Amino acid sequence: MKKKTIFLITLLFAVAMGSCRKFLDTTPQTSLTTGNAYNSAQDIENAIAGCYQIFMGSDYYQWENVMLSDNRSDNAYPGGGGEATFVEEDQFTMPASNSHMYALWSQLYQGIAHCNLLMANINGASGLAADRKAQIIGEASFLRAFHYYQLVKTWGGVPIELESNTADPKVTRKPRSTETQVYDQINADLQVAVANLPDSYGSDASVNKVRATKGAAYALLAKIWAQRSDRDYNKVLTYCKDVVNSPAGYSLVSSYSSLFDGSHYFNSESILEIPFTAGGPNASWGVELFLAPEDGWQKYGVPAHDLVNAFVAEGDTVRENASVLFVTKDVNGNPIAWADENWNPCQDPTKPTPFAYKQKHPNGWSSGDHFYLLRLDDIILLQAEADNQLGNTAEAISLLNKIRNRVGLPNTTASTQGALTTAILNERRLELAFEAQRWDDLTRLGVATTVMANLKEYKYTCNNGVPSAPIPIVYTCDKNHWLMPLPLTEINNNPNLVQNPGY
């Protein structure tokens, strides 16, 4: 397989003064520098726009967050013609020297650095209204928290960087903080966000769904208090209710399929999404890495038999059709086959091969399909999990049924805490497939090792047009491998870092 090389140009977009326009709406401005960037209100608006740009301009948020979660779990195979990086990720053999890990780590810290620089310089800018200044501090605090959340759930405890740019190695070569310390910093940033962010920026959903809001901060607070090792389900429940009862008026849309058809973004269910724009500098190339028919090579994150079987076992055709596309013909209706060692190794044109389908319009490496970062259904199911863990069985069942009934499924038959834990975990799998949630769910509930050890998946080779006997795939996933290795390059650059156990 020949992977298309991606050349990324990160552009910094200005935000119009005031809060009634998207941060993507205006003309690109020149890059800001520490020497002259923060003199005026417009400079600050440009800088907060740059803080958001990491969502659109990084491999992590374009597609590799999905690989880290769905590929690493029971939802997907590596695909991609067997590229070593993602086979290692899938089978828990990732070395610390892997360049992808260093790139993703660097991208997330780059996002944090933009926020740090803005917050360190905002007080020196003239002409910025006090209420807008507070909002921007809230936005930057939320974004920094969001990036640290990605870091801590991927690598565990990481260095906490809160200063702006500096060349002092005493500052830059920090040791790892503990997982608890990182989550505490995320919580502190989110409390600042809650205190300073509005419920909305006005009546335009295309603004409110792409910028940090109070509802987004509450949603992330719910998720961090569930995900951290010293989780607190009382806090999870409180913050979930803050989202559900938000004046922003979040509500489930009636049609699950419409969430992902490309025509109904900025909907009432969305809390925060990445607004990719087709054909422009803020287009998504990530969709092309998952969805097949345009350029003739096997893509990544191929849906697992186990995931497809889970949809079938539940009779969940609505979410299966929205999440998985089986391909036998090209866009012109001609028979086509894709080499896939798990589904169709001999490229039989009568045998369908599945592809991840939450985003549906690759558009030649320039997709306008959005990616949801925070969605209400995630929070409702997290609230059900919290209620169940706290013994509120009836409340948990009611919330679970709300999600099931939306896609035409009957009420759950689970009635005990243990059965409900399993039912909610399965519901999250079907509801949130290919949205970078599955691995977090498995580790949060402590079942990642068991689930992967019990996974019965097979690969095949093709021998003169005949598939081989099934070859079992072995997943050796001890608890050490719930986390990824710290990048070797980072450890070599910073002697104060200590590697995760098992690597």
Side-chain angles (χ1 to χ4, degrees):
M1 179 216 70
K2 182 179 180 180
K3 179 181 176 183
K4 183 172 181 177
T5 304
I6 311 294
F7 293 96
L8 170 64
I9 301 175
T10 303
L11 299 176
L12 185 61
F13 283 77
V15 180
M17 295 297 289
S19 61
C20 63
R21 296 182 66 191
K22 289 183 291 184
F23 64 89
L24 296 176
D25 279 349
T26 51
T27 305
Q29 303 293 309
T30 56
S31 297
L32 303 179
T33 69
T34 55
N36 62 10
Y38 301 95
N39 297 325
S40 69
Q42 187 60 58
D43 291 340
I44 296 299
E45 297 289 356
N46 293 346
I48 191 60
C51 291
Y52 282 99
Q53 197 66 22
I54 190 71
F55 286 143
M56 284 153 286
S58 67
D59 285 273
Y60 183 88
Y61 288 111
Q62 285 263 356
W63 70 294
E64 290 212 36
N65 58 342
V66 175
M67 294 298 287
L68 279 167
S69 183
D70 291 80
N71 178 51
R72 218 169 10 147
S73 74
D74 51 349
N75 274 2
Y77 299 111
E83 186 173 329
T85 288
F86 300 108
V87 173
E88 292 166 350
E89 187 176 83
D90 176 62
Q91 297 180 20
F92 307 100
T93 59
M94 178 75 76
S97 58
N98 184 273
S99 60
H100 280 260
M101 290 301 100
Y102 179 62
L104 302 183
W105 170 286
S106 300
Q107 288 165 12
L108 291 168
Y109 271 110
Q110 181 185 31
I112 290 166
H114 280 298
C115 298
N116 289 343
L117 195 59
L118 171 57
M119 288 191 279
N121 288 278
I122 192 170
N123 288 329
S126 62
L128 189 64
D131 59 344
R132 181 60 187 136
K133 176 182 175 182
Q135 286 179 354
I136 290 174
I137 290 172
E139 289 178 86
S141 297
F142 171 86
L143 294 171
R144 183 168 70 180
F146 199 92
H147 301 320
Y148 270 120
Y149 179 54
Q150 310 309 310
L151 285 164
V152 71
K153 65 191 181 72
T154 304
W155 285 282
V158 296
I160 297 176
E161 301 281 0
L162 302 179
E163 298 85 359
S164 58
N165 289 351
T166 176
D168 185 352
K170 294 180 181 179
V171 176
T172 58
R173 294 179 180 176
K174 292 182 182 296
R176 298 176 68 174
S177 297
T178 66
E179 181 212 64
T180 298
Q181 289 170 331
V182 177
Y183 273 115
D184 285 347
Q185 177 58 46
I186 294 170
N187 179 70
D189 272 342
L190 291 175
Q191 298 303 332
V192 172
V194 165
N196 288 280
L197 289 173
D199 294 303
S200 68
Y201 294 87
S203 60
D204 188 348
S206 68
V207 175
N208 297 326
K209 304 300 183 179
V210 305
R211 294 176 67 175
T213 59
K214 203 180 293 289
Y218 282 135
L220 190 53
L221 279 163
K223 291 177 76 67
I224 69 158
W225 281 105
Q227 201 67 35
R228 55 190 292 165
S229 298
D230 57 341
R231 61 190 47 83
D232 187 333
Y233 275 114
N234 283 297
K235 289 182 178 178
V236 175
L237 187 59
T238 295
Y239 290 126
C240 284
K241 288 181 177 179
D242 285 332
V243 176
V244 171
N245 298 323
S246 168
Y250 304 117
S251 63
L252 295 179
V253 302
S254 59
S255 169
Y256 180 87
S257 300
S258 72
L259 291 164
F260 306 101
D261 65 5
S263 300
H264 295 88
Y265 295 123
F266 309 131
N267 55 72
S268 63
E269 192 166 325
S270 171
I271 299 172
L272 184 67
E273 62 193 76
I274 306 176
F276 294 112
T277 53
N282 289 299
S284 170
W285 68 81
V287 181
E288 192 89 23
L289 291 159
F290 291 122
L291 192 58
E294 290 193 338
D295 53 7
W297 52 271
Q298 183 200 17
K299 300 308 172 73
Y300 298 89
V302 178
H305 288 268
D306 196 75
L307 175 63
V308 173
N309 292 342
F311 281 118
V312 173
E314 203 64 43
D316 189 358
T317 58
V318 171
R319 290 183 294 198
E320 180 183 4
N321 290 339
S323 305
V324 179
L325 175 69
F326 281 91
V327 173
T328 57
K329 296 181 179 180
D330 65 17
V331 293
N332 297 314
N334 300 314
I336 195 168
W338 301 90
D340 185 286
E341 65 180 1
N342 306 106
W343 288 89
N344 192 10
C346 296
Q347 294 183 261
D348 182 348
T350 67
K351 187 175 183 179
T353 303
F355 295 86
Y357 200 45
K358 277 291 175 68
Q359 284 79 40
K360 298 173 170 48
H361 308 96
N363 196 38
W365 301 91
S366 189
S367 177
D369 286 352
H370 295 196
F371 187 89
Y372 296 107
L373 295 171
L374 294 167
R375 213 157 42 89
L376 180 63
D377 58 335
D378 176 9
I379 300 305
I380 290 173
L381 287 171
L382 198 59
Q383 183 179 343
E385 180 182 315
D387 270 322
N388 185 48
Q389 295 297 323
L390 294 171
N392 305 326
T393 304
E395 290 86 344
I397 290 173
S398 176
L399 291 166
L400 177 56
N401 287 338
K402 179 183 293 188
I403 299 298
R404 291 176 60 79
N405 296 164
R406 194 257 293 264
V407 294
L409 296 181
N411 289 345
T412 183
T413 59
S415 59
T416 65
Q417 186 179 68
L420 272 172
T421 297
T422 301
I424 293 167
L425 179 61
N426 188 60
E427 202 69 30
R428 287 184 61 84
R429 183 186 193 186
L430 304 181
E431 182 78 11
L432 299 165
F434 305 114
E435 295 184 59
Q437 301 294 327
R438 179 62 172 171
W439 187 250
D440 299 346
D441 292 348
L442 295 179
T443 56
R444 181 176 67 255
L445 293 174
V447 298
T449 295
T450 301
V451 166
M452 298 310 295
N454 292 334
L455 186 60
K456 306 299 182 185
E457 296 287 351
Y458 304 89
K459 64 181 180 179
Y460 305 82
T461 59
C462 185
N463 301 312
N464 297 319
V466 179
S468 69
I471 304 166
I473 302 173
V474 178
Y475 300 96
T476 305
C477 176
D478 58 32
K479 194 168 184 178
N480 285 337
H481 288 81
W482 291 10
L483 297 173
M484 300 302 284
L486 268 66
L488 183 61
T489 301
E490 196 67 21
I491 289 177
N492 290 339
N493 290 338
N494 181 358
N496 295 317
L497 291 180
V498 176
Q499 184 58 271
N500 279 327
Y503 292 100

